[in-house]
Amino acid sequence: MADRGRLFRFLNRCKKWGIGFVIFVLLLIVLNLLFPLRVSITYSTLIQDEKGALLHAYLSPDQKWRMYTELNEIAPLLKKTIIEKEDQYFYYHPGVNPAAMARAFFKNLLTGRRSSGASTITMQVARALEPKSRTYWHKAVEVFRAFQLEWNYSKDEILQMYVNLVPYGGNIEGMKAASWIYFNKNPDHLSLAEITALSIIPNRPSSLVIGKNNDRIVAERNKWLVRFKESGLFSEKEIKDALDEPLLASRNIGPKFVPHLAAELRKSTNPNVVTTTRLEMQQQAEKIVADYVRGQQQLGIHQAAVVVIENETRKVLVYLGSANFKDTIDAGQVNGVRAIREPGSTLKPFLYGMAFDEGLVTPKTVVSDVPVSYSGYAPENYDKQFNGKVSIEYALEHSLNIPAVNMLNKIGTEAFIDKLSEGGLKQIQKDRKKLGLSLVLGGCGASLLELTSLYSALPNNGLFLPPILTREDSLKQAKPIRVLSEPACYMLHETLSKVNRPDFPLNWQSTEHMPKIAWKTGTSYGRRDAWSIGYNRKYTIGVWLGNFNGTGVAGLSGANTATPLLFQLFNTFSYDEDEAWFNMPKSCAWRQVCGESGLLPEPSCEHLVTDYFIPLISSQEHCKSKEEIMVSIDNRISYCKTCAPASGYVSKLFPVLAPELKQYYLDHHVAFAQIPPHNPNCERVFKSNAPRITAPQNGHEYIINTKRKEPLQLSCQVANDVARVYWYVNDRFYKEAAPGSKLYFVPDPGKNKVSCTDDKGRNVNCTIDVSYVSL
């Protein structure tokens, strides 16, 4: 009976304890619902390079140095040391250690003061999340929050929070922040001595300050190292090395690399932003640019920006926004990588690439570089000169403006804007309604990063992908956009890599060990921006020089200012590199063409050259640079089939010249074989190749000062077989002249009709409005 009674009492007590435990759990659940745990921790934004090295750091929103520690950054050595010192049973208790709390309670009771703590790591996290004064009530709240943490987070996550929140005095919180600020390294690189030193500071953060109380910290550190030795946590050698290690640390301001990129990424929602920056290359570029700009300052050029992209991955390895971020005089904090500037001639390769893809031209196609006017817009070349007949290849190598404008007029501004927009040029898309033929000469806006990214499509067979600045960007699956075909890119590679060009640096030493590259320069209107963008198989590098305030410099140009710096950068990053050049794709081929026209040769073509072409795409048109004309034996009269005599004539080849090209030859006294005047007795009516009036402009309004009635010019362009032209004003004969002559007349107020008739009877009219005003 006695045994049964004891059993009954035991079961009864168990029942009571069980009921009590259930009530306790239910109470915790109710309290958890009424007072839920809210973990809202803000962290400093850390900008890191591709290897995880710290480049730049910013305070958290609450102005703390609180750096987020990833789980993989908590090395085994760090974990073992913290747990041994702070909470040996961390992985076994439910957030609270009852035995430790009981021990601390009785010890404090006996001594009459707080001589022993019982806070677990979880409880310390709870206190850090909700800092309160030390009272028994607040301790109870702390215990409750500790239970909540254990319910909601794993042990490793709680340890991670502890590492992130542990206080180090002032505005420094978390072991990662302390590790960087005092030791300039990541927590997973700390030694045993450094970890131990950092682990004792949170107990007395105001009296143990690294850099001020290093001797006291070393003494406390060594006490704990001896305890670790006694507990057998570490070997004798590890403890000896830690004891012998001096503490020379002090507070530092931390690294301030890539400040422009860091400022751009500062608002990221991710506290640890891993960029694609390659720190060694970034520092090399910074030194090269700073030295180069220092030499340009005497010319009035004070700023530069550089972008380096790895072609295979599209990662931005170098992001240099200015020559010196700290330069307040010349606005060094302006981000030249993102600034929208006029791109000069840097867009021309993509225009000609489109022309290759549409079958309009090939590199050896011959076009005219002569004066033209599009409704009053008369483009000029950089040197104010004209070259007559040139190949597309020559026009691109010498960056001629007029052939580019003529080509854009054929392709269409809208189509070119669409292509550039696909290639990431956002400002051009925004401004598309305002853009015209000057677009291809730089009459638009683009940033250095946009242009360099667009150029990186060329070594990638014409496939464009947005630039990658961070590891997060690299995880996004962007679909490549084809901006140019493979053969078009290859034609551009070959053209842009030639060294016999006017934009080749005069200083040959800068290219002594440089790898083969393709590059294009650009100079904006008013000489405000100098560009040079180049690429090889490995890198695409974009360079900009100028002044952020928009001041133009007389000596500034893409060729003489930006290209030497581009070559220095390639010399540094690809020094003496013997990497293979691009291979000709199977979709590209060779063919023989006439050197006079760039078209398929006729039997009469004497000068043949080799040219690239795209099978089934490139034009199959045959050369028409010469035509056979029947002329009299004395070469004074030409005949057609209608009026040719039975005998007394010979057949000769004469060049077929567009009216504007013939006019250019006449104006510049370029000798060419002219077709003799046509047989005056011929009864054939000529309808094609009528004259074209170049001045005055049809449909334009002219305002003339009544005090100085300046006359208007009369000029025209005619076919090669025209010897005389006849001018009429308001249907009244005015004058007869040679085709190249420039005449002048004083118009009447109001509408005026101007007519030009050549010696074949072909006529053209234009109408102008004239207003006389007193100025």
Side-chain angles (χ1 to χ4, degrees):
M1 289 293 294
D3 291 339
R4 290 180 64 185
R6 284 195 295 270
L7 178 61
F8 178 79
R9 287 193 295 273
F10 174 75
L11 293 174
N12 192 42
R13 283 195 297 269
C14 288
K15 181 179 179 182
K16 290 179 179 180
W17 279 106
I19 293 172
F21 178 75
V22 171
I23 292 172
F24 177 71
V25 171
L26 290 174
L27 179 63
L28 289 179
I29 292 173
V30 172
L31 290 174
N32 184 54
L33 294 174
L34 293 175
F35 306 100
L37 177 68
R38 292 184 175 90
V39 177
S40 178
I41 309 171
T42 58
Y43 292 98
S44 303
T45 300
L46 304 186
I47 311 299
Q48 301 168 293
D49 76 352
E50 64 174 359
K51 296 179 180 178
L54 185 63
L55 299 175
H56 214 101
Y58 293 97
L59 289 167
S60 65
D62 57 350
Q63 301 302 297
K64 296 289 185 71
W65 286 116
R66 188 189 300 116
M67 302 180 182
Y68 183 75
T69 306
E70 304 280 359
L71 279 171
N72 59 8
E73 292 178 310
I74 303 177
L77 178 64
L78 177 61
K79 181 189 291 188
K80 188 161 60 169
T81 305
I82 291 174
I83 291 176
E84 176 68 21
K85 180 182 178 299
E86 295 295 330
D87 188 357
Q88 296 180 27
Y89 301 99
F90 171 68
Y91 280 100
Y92 305 102
H93 61 64
V96 176
N97 188 336
M101 290 188 71
R103 184 188 69 244
F105 175 76
F106 286 111
K107 189 173 182 180
N108 294 340
L109 188 64
L110 290 172
T111 58
R113 60 185 177 85
R114 185 180 180 276
S115 60
S116 177
S119 293
T120 62
I121 286 177
T122 311
M123 291 171 68
Q124 292 182 59
V125 171
R127 185 165 60 246
L129 291 173
E130 295 181 1
K132 292 180 174 64
S133 58
R134 292 179 180 270
T135 66
Y136 286 110
W137 169 249
H138 290 159
K139 177 62 71 173
V141 173
E142 187 179 301
V143 169
F144 169 64
R145 293 302 190 195
F147 283 128
Q148 287 183 303
L149 284 168
E150 294 283 344
W151 295 340
N152 290 280
Y153 297 95
S154 69
K155 286 290 187 180
D156 285 341
E157 289 172 332
I158 294 171
L159 181 63
Q160 181 186 22
M161 278 192 270
Y162 172 82
V163 171
N164 285 332
L165 295 173
V166 63
Y168 282 91
N171 67 339
I172 304 175
E173 290 186 6
M175 191 163 280
K176 186 170 185 175
S179 177
W180 275 109
I181 290 173
Y182 293 125
F183 297 106
N184 198 30
K185 63 177 73 172
N186 226 35
D188 55 355
H189 287 72
L190 292 172
S191 67
L192 175 59
E194 292 166 339
I195 292 172
T196 308
L198 288 179
S199 69
I200 64 175
I201 294 174
N203 301 120
R204 289 183 286 166
S206 58
S207 60
L208 296 178
V209 179
I210 293 181
K212 293 182 180 180
N213 314 111
N214 283 10
D215 291 340
R216 293 171 62 185
I217 294 172
V218 168
E220 291 293 324
R221 179 199 73 180
N222 291 347
K223 288 180 183 178
W224 275 101
L225 288 171
V226 171
R227 292 182 190 177
F228 294 157
K229 177 183 176 183
E230 293 172 350
S231 66
L233 186 65
F234 299 105
S235 67
E236 287 192 18
K237 185 179 185 309
E238 289 175 314
I239 297 297
K240 183 180 183 304
D241 291 342
L243 289 170
D244 293 340
E245 185 175 319
L247 181 62
L248 304 176
S250 61
R251 182 162 182 163
N252 62 73
I253 59 174
K256 300 292 181 183
F257 300 119
V258 289
H260 295 93
L261 178 61
E264 181 179 328
L265 300 175
R266 181 179 181 178
K267 301 301 182 183
S268 173
T269 56
N270 185 357
N272 289 347
V273 182
V274 180
T275 70
T276 57
T277 304
R278 198 160 290 172
L279 184 56
E280 182 182 357
M281 292 179 65
Q282 176 77 22
Q283 292 176 312
Q284 288 176 319
E286 287 176 359
K287 185 179 186 309
I288 292 171
V289 171
D291 292 343
Y292 187 81
V293 171
R294 198 175 298 116
Q296 298 292 316
Q297 288 178 346
Q298 59 185 347
L299 303 176
I301 303 167
H302 298 280
Q303 283 298 349
V306 170
V307 169
V308 179
I309 294 178
E310 187 177 52
N311 293 331
E312 183 179 358
T313 62
R314 311 299 176 98
K315 292 179 179 179
V316 177
L317 306 182
V318 173
Y319 188 110
L320 183 58
S322 68
N324 182 1
F325 184 79
K326 297 179 181 178
D327 184 357
T328 56
I329 297 175
D330 295 310
Q333 294 188 5
V334 173
N335 188 350
V337 170
R338 291 287 191 181
I340 301 298
R341 316 285 297 194
E342 292 184 10
S345 296
T346 57
L347 302 179
K348 289 176 181 175
F350 299 93
L351 176 70
Y352 289 121
M354 285 184 67
F356 295 154
D357 281 337
E358 293 184 15
L360 297 176
V361 295
T362 57
K364 290 292 194 297
T365 300
V366 175
V367 294
S368 296
D369 178 31
V370 297
V372 293
S373 178
Y374 292 97
S375 300
Y377 172 57
E380 293 181 328
N381 289 323
Y382 182 78
D383 58 2
K384 309 294 184 182
Q385 302 297 316
F386 303 98
N387 298 273
K389 293 172 66 174
V390 297
S391 68
I392 291 293
E393 186 178 63
Y394 182 94
L396 182 54
E397 289 172 5
H398 291 71
S399 197
L400 300 180
N401 290 340
I402 294 171
V405 172
N406 291 339
M407 187 58 64
L408 180 57
N409 186 55
K410 286 184 179 179
I411 289 178
T413 305
E414 289 296 316
F416 192 43
I417 290 174
D418 288 340
K419 184 67 68 176
L420 296 177
S421 299
E422 290 175 355
L425 272 59
K426 298 179 181 178
Q427 191 63 39
I428 288 179
Q429 174 64 23
K430 293 178 183 178
D431 297 338
R432 66 182 306 144
K433 293 183 180 179
K434 300 185 290 184
L435 301 176
L437 293 176
S438 63
L439 162 65
V440 73
L441 307 185
C444 58
S447 71
L448 177 62
L449 182 60
E450 288 177 337
L451 290 172
T452 310
S453 301
L454 179 61
Y455 268 81
S456 71
L458 298 178
N460 282 287
N461 297 322
L463 294 175
F464 170 79
L465 279 172
I468 295 174
L469 294 171
T470 66
R471 182 182 293 173
E472 188 177 350
D473 290 342
S474 64
L475 299 177
K476 299 175 183 176
Q477 297 294 324
K479 185 177 180 181
I481 298 173
R482 179 164 295 284
V483 291
L484 293 175
S485 69
E486 288 188 53
C489 290
Y490 183 75
M491 293 178 194
L492 292 174
H493 301 333
E494 295 302 289
T495 301
L496 296 177
S497 61
K498 293 184 178 179
V499 296
N500 55 335
R501 293 160 49 178
D503 58 352
F504 191 82
L506 298 177
N507 183 4
W508 65 271
Q509 292 178 343
S510 64
T511 65
E512 188 174 358
H513 296 282
M514 196 184 72
K516 183 177 181 179
I517 67 168
W519 82 97
K520 182 70 185 76
T521 62
T523 307
S524 69
Y525 178 77
R527 296 179 181 267
R528 298 183 179 92
D529 308 277
W531 305 84
S532 192
I533 306 175
Y535 61 89
N536 58 11
R537 292 188 69 91
K538 194 170 185 179
Y539 300 121
T540 298
I541 302 179
V543 170
W544 170 89
L545 281 100
N547 295 304
F548 287 142
N549 61 7
T551 302
V553 179
L556 182 140
S557 71
N560 297 324
T561 308
T563 301
L565 177 56
L566 176 76
F567 280 23
Q568 282 189 43
L569 292 168
F570 268 109
N571 267 339
T572 302
F573 301 142
S574 296
Y575 180 80
D576 228 0
E577 197 168 281
D578 191 22
E579 191 164 336
W581 190 242
F582 302 95
N583 297 319
M584 188 170 76
K586 294 180 180 179
S587 51
C588 186
W590 298 89
R591 69 181 180 185
Q592 293 285 312
V593 296
C594 174
E596 296 294 322
S597 65
L599 302 175
L600 295 176
E602 289 287 342
S604 60
C605 295
E606 299 174 352
H607 176 51
L608 301 183
V609 295
T610 304
D611 189 18
Y612 297 108
F613 78 107
I614 306 176
L616 305 178
I617 299 294
S618 298
S619 173
Q620 298 298 308
E621 183 180 356
H622 282 255
C623 177
K624 297 177 182 177
S625 62
K626 295 179 181 179
E627 62 176 335
E628 188 174 339
I629 301 293
M630 294 176 286
V631 298
S632 60
I633 295 176
D634 59 6
N635 207 38
R636 292 186 177 182
I637 298 175
S638 62
Y639 304 103
C640 63
K641 293 181 179 180
T642 303
C643 64
S647 60
Y649 69 88
V650 293
S651 294
K652 289 186 176 181
L653 292 175
F654 290 88
V656 176
L657 302 177
E660 62 271 16
L661 187 59
K662 178 186 177 183
Q663 189 65 49
Y664 168 80
Y665 285 165
L666 291 173
D667 292 343
H668 292 78
H669 309 291
V670 177
F672 68 98
Q674 295 193 59
I675 300 173
H678 197 72
N679 179 11
N681 298 319
C682 180
E683 297 180 356
R684 177 185 174 191
V685 177
F686 293 89
K687 295 182 180 180
S688 60
N689 295 327
R692 186 165 71 87
I693 297 175
T694 56
Q697 291 285 320
N698 184 39
H700 280 217
E701 181 181 2
Y702 293 84
I703 300 175
I704 301 176
N705 189 351
T706 55
K707 296 179 181 179
R708 291 181 57 192
K709 294 185 178 181
E710 295 185 0
L712 299 181
Q713 181 181 334
L714 293 172
S715 64
C716 67
Q717 296 173 346
V718 297
N720 192 21
D721 59 349
V722 175
R724 306 294 292 177
V725 293
Y726 307 89
W727 290 96
Y728 298 81
V729 177
N730 293 324
D731 296 325
R732 293 191 300 271
F733 177 72
Y734 181 65
K735 280 185 180 180
E736 174 191 353
S741 302
K742 290 182 174 61
L743 305 178
Y744 296 88
F745 78 106
V746 178
D748 297 330
K751 288 193 177 295
N752 285 257
K753 177 183 177 183
V754 177
S755 305
C756 179
T757 304
D758 64 16
D759 53 14
K760 305 296 182 294
R762 297 171 292 203
N763 181 76
V764 66
N765 303 317
C766 78
T767 303
I768 60 174
D769 285 319
V770 178
S771 300
Y772 283 88
V773 296
S774 297
L775 299 175

